[in-house]
Amino acid sequence: MIGGGQLARMTHQAAIALGQTLRVLATGPNEPAAQVTPDVVIGQHTDLDALRRAASGASALTFDHEHVPTEHLEQLVAEGVTVAPPPQALVHAQDKLLMRRRLHDLGAPVPRFAAIRSVADIEEFVRLIDGPVVIKTVRGGYDGRGVMMADDLAQAREIVERYLADGVALLAEERVAMRRELAALVARSPFGQGAAWPVVETVQRDGICVEVYSPAPGLSDELGSAAQELGLRLANELGVVGVLAVELFETTGGDLLVNELAMRPHNSGHWTMDGAVTSQFEQHLRAVLDYPLGDTAAIAPAAVMANVLGAPQTPEMSMDERLHHLFARMPEAKVHLYGKGERPGRKIGHVNVIGTDTADLRERAVRAAHWLSHAEWTDGWDEHGE
């Protein structure tokens, strides 16, 4: 797996149960996955020789991020390496403009968009939209990075001038009037078997996913099925092998629009570790290794995930002690920590809680995650009973 972050770390956990060893290409020995797997190659994902060392003798090569240069992956394929997802699929998760154009050609619902190569381009697009727009870098960017909101032409012009001056490729999209954000998580095997988990609602704050509700509360069966079918169709049309996350807008008019694609395990699927028969991490490995896919059914009526983000001030209380108090109060909480140092806003773990009532589960999951981040109970509870 190229990348040594938390997604590779959790994929390694799934690999153990399947009798597999997950080799990771990490930039250093302290990355989350490098801490736990016995097979680590140190190097950069932009270095073809490092990629070759990681792929040498492996059954397949896959990713915990999408930033590997396409030309390197094509070279590895030419040398006989099994790359999953293949580079001709992965490029649609790397290049947002290419993705928008391909989805539009496939008839998938997308916001109105345009390539922005000059200030004149953004001026024309803003006039066409006659409303606020979103300006994105074509490549790179995640967790809200590389995404800029412009309320009017003056803001849009300033953003475009700044980025084009630095040689950064841009596209613009209409800002969608949305009710909420959803995610359709699916998987596809090399011979075309597909599987879909329940469609979830995701909550973003400052561009970072902070909560996930499964299934999406109040989502009609019709719209949920449409989202799953869209995810499976795109996985098939694009030739994805592995997990595909289709991030969606549910508009105020009740329609679906595709926002982003991710071809790897995804934050919106972390709930599956404790809330589904087959987790997204095991499923990704099943697909990459060409095993039959696992059951995606939920094991409880509802599940909520809350990310543990680094607090503005790192608590004096150790994480070990925070875990002690959390488990004493909330033994039902399932905690997944990533082995990362704490810094403001950084994803350092997540909490899953499963049960029957989404509102109750959300309250408990958010309370647990906040405690682990801040060493403070949101309801003022005193862990020492004083």
Side-chain angles (χ1 to χ4, degrees):
M1 187 168 248
I2 305 306
Q6 64 262 25
L7 300 178
R9 182 185 178 105
M10 290 182 279
T11 304
H12 172 64
Q13 293 174 248
I16 293 170
L18 299 181
Q20 302 288 341
T21 298
L22 185 76
R23 177 184 298 152
V24 298
L25 177 66
T27 59
N30 293 323
E31 289 196 348
Q35 297 171 21
V36 296
T37 180
D39 196 351
V40 182
V41 173
I42 302 300
Q44 299 293 328
H45 64 268
T46 53
D47 181 346
L48 179 57
D49 287 336
L51 295 169
R52 284 190 176 115
R53 283 186 285 123
S56 179
S59 301
L61 183 146
T62 189
F63 313 92
D64 98 331
H65 63 73
E66 292 99 345
H67 305 311
V68 182
T70 303
E71 60 271 21
H72 289 356
L73 297 178
E74 290 173 341
Q75 180 60 38
L76 292 175
V77 171
E79 294 172 8
V81 176
T82 298
V83 177
Q88 65 268 26
L90 186 67
V91 69
H92 296 94
Q94 297 172 319
D95 187 311
K96 295 182 177 65
L97 182 57
L98 181 69
M99 179 266 289
R100 281 279 178 259
R101 287 171 169 163
R102 183 68 190 282
L103 295 189
H104 180 267
D105 290 345
L106 291 174
V110 295
R112 288 178 290 176
F113 68 96
I116 304 299
R117 300 185 179 89
S118 67
V119 173
D121 287 340
I122 193 62
E123 291 173 343
E124 180 181 350
F125 187 70
V126 169
R127 282 194 294 270
L128 172 69
I129 297 301
D130 192 25
V133 298
V134 182
I135 300 168
K136 296 180 178 181
T137 57
V138 170
R139 283 183 173 261
Y142 62 97
D143 286 348
R145 284 168 249 181
V147 178
M148 291 72 64
M149 304 293 179
D151 294 326
D152 53 37
L153 179 57
Q155 283 186 343
R157 188 184 289 120
E158 187 275 328
I159 292 168
V160 167
E161 287 175 345
R162 175 159 41 93
Y163 276 84
L164 291 183
D166 292 334
V168 178
L170 297 173
L171 76 154
E173 301 174 357
E174 64 178 321
R175 197 183 307 179
V176 175
M178 64 173 180
R179 179 184 170 213
R180 57 180 172 176
E181 294 188 59
L182 304 173
L185 194 72
V186 303
R188 181 179 178 274
S189 73
F191 66 88
Q193 184 188 12
W197 286 271
V199 176
V200 301
E201 178 178 348
T202 66
V203 178
Q204 318 291 321
R205 187 177 303 129
D206 298 325
I208 297 175
C209 177
V210 291
E211 297 165 27
V212 174
Y213 315 140
S214 177
L219 185 68
S220 69
D221 290 342
E222 181 182 11
L223 206 58
S225 294
Q228 289 177 314
E229 289 168 8
L230 176 61
L232 290 168
R233 180 168 75 87
L234 293 181
N236 189 59
E237 295 277 8
L238 299 177
V240 174
V241 173
V243 166
L244 169 68
V246 182
E247 299 180 62
L248 298 160
F249 297 130
E250 182 184 357
T251 70
T252 52
D255 297 319
L256 296 175
L257 294 175
V258 177
N259 178 25
E260 302 279 1
L261 300 179
M263 296 183 192
R264 52 171 170 77
H266 190 256
N267 205 155
S268 66
H270 288 350
W271 70 273
T272 64
M273 298 177 76
D274 302 295
V277 175
T278 308
S279 79
Q280 65 166 342
F281 300 101
E282 178 184 338
Q283 194 80 297
H284 187 73
L285 288 175
R286 287 195 188 209
V288 166
L289 295 170
D290 204 7
Y291 293 161
L293 299 182
D295 188 349
T296 52
I299 62 174
V304 172
M305 184 227 67
N307 270 323
V308 180
L309 305 178
Q313 296 291 328
T314 300
E316 292 183 8
M317 184 186 296
S318 71
M319 182 60 77
D320 184 67
E321 188 175 355
R322 281 175 258 168
L323 276 173
H324 178 99
H325 291 301
L326 174 65
F327 290 149
R329 186 182 185 192
M330 299 177 62
E332 75 279 10
K334 302 294 289 184
V335 176
H336 302 272
L337 297 176
Y338 305 154
K340 289 181 171 182
E342 297 180 60
R343 66 169 183 250
R346 189 185 200 190
K347 291 179 185 176
I348 58 175
H350 69 270
V351 178
N352 288 332
V353 184
I354 64 173
T356 57
D357 182 78
T358 299
D360 173 63
L361 296 176
R362 178 192 179 276
E363 182 180 355
R364 286 190 275 156
V366 170
R367 179 184 298 154
H370 186 88
W371 165 256
L372 290 176
S373 296
H374 296 74
E376 298 171 348
W377 293 108
T378 53
D379 59 354
W381 191 76
D382 183 352
E383 66 273 10
H384 295 292
E386 297 174 3

